[in-house]
Amino acid sequence: MRLVFAGTPEVALPSLRALIDSSRHDVVAVVTRPDAPSGRGRRLERSPVGALADEHGIEVLTPAKAGDPEFLDRLRALEPDLCPVVAYGNLLPQRTLDVPKFGWVNLHFSVLPAWRGAAPVQAAVRNGDDITGASTFRIVKELDAGPVFGVVTEKVRDRDTSGDLLARLSESGAHLLLSTVDGIEDGTLRAVDQPAEGITYAGKITVEDARLDFTAPAVAVDRLARAVTPDPGAWAEFRNERLKLGPVTPVDDVTLPAGEILVERKRVLVGTATTAVALGEVQAQGKKRMGATDWARGTRIEAGERIA
């Protein structure tokens, strides 16, 4: 089939590679977010999906909006049979959805109808889900509500960050997306409506959402820190400055007042509403990331000081 692939970040690359490498399909173009300023020089850079397409000589389309008339004219001229989507990050109006013969098929990183929305993997980690996965579905106007073609599942490991889990799902999801596209071409795959029960939503996580609350139980602090790693990254305040924090580790045998810091020889503990947590990597403002014990030695923490 003639495919126009839509995606933007690195998590979409395994799917794009799988479709490019398939002998059954022809990726005639990709749609991605416009080039964005990056680095100290703020130079415009291609998205990861756009850069991979450039490497393979594939046309790259970067509309500001997916309903722009110029973009729609080019999309119609390409005559795609199907448009696979992975983390594109732009709304698709109905006039755009109507262009390809078999519609737009999205790879979403949850087992729908659970965790519809922008941050399903983060929601699964923060919620303490044992199992999550990825789903392929036909895109409709309602958010992540279209009929489902296929599902893969993935165990959420005890110390998974969102980055760890998403890396695995991007690989298993790529195989699912390719098999979905194959099945649509063969006419052997039928999409099934999502159940009306079990719908949950996972909205985009902001920087403010990623602030750790040490008055919460240790399990909640741990889950949130892992859920927002690597993006947008956990943080708290220490001495009235923002302190970036890597994942923490619950410690069952120490209890401290919420937020209070205890520096030991090989670990730095912080109190929560239940037992303490051990800090992992720490980054103070204007400083490099470092282990918590190195940070504590350089900071000369006084008895009773707290992180808030």
Side-chain angles (χ1 to χ4, degrees), residues 117-258:
V121 175
Q122 291 92 328
V125 174
R126 185 173 186 177
N127 194 60
D129 292 357
D130 293 322
I131 299 291
T132 187
S135 308
T136 49
F137 70 95
R138 181 180 292 117
I139 296 179
V140 297
K141 188 174 182 180
E142 185 181 352
L143 177 67
D144 298 337
V148 173
F149 288 102
V151 171
V152 292
T153 58
E154 178 73 34
K155 180 176 173 56
V156 183
R157 300 170 186 170
D158 290 343
R159 302 308 305 155
D160 267 341
T161 66
S162 289
D164 297 331
L165 184 54
L166 191 54
R168 299 200 303 274
L169 286 172
S170 69
E171 295 292 341
S172 59
H175 295 293
L176 172 64
L177 182 61
L178 178 58
S179 65
T180 297
V181 174
D182 289 347
I184 291 171
E185 182 185 44
D186 294 339
T188 58
L189 194 59
R190 177 188 297 180
V192 177
D193 288 340
Q194 296 183 35
E197 299 79 28
I199 298 172
T200 51
Y201 290 93
K204 182 178 179 179
I205 295 178
T206 66
V207 171
E208 191 58 37
D209 294 330
R211 182 174 186 170
L212 299 185
D213 177 10
F214 290 98
T215 66
V219 64
V221 176
D222 168 42
R223 287 176 180 174
L224 177 57
R226 289 187 290 111
V228 298
T229 299
D231 185 50
W235 63 280
E237 283 193 357
F238 177 69
R239 296 178 182 172
N240 297 317
E241 291 188 346
R242 182 169 296 192
L243 191 68
K244 295 181 180 180
L245 300 170
V248 301
T249 304
V251 176
D252 293 335
D253 59 345
V254 178
T255 301
L256 295 168

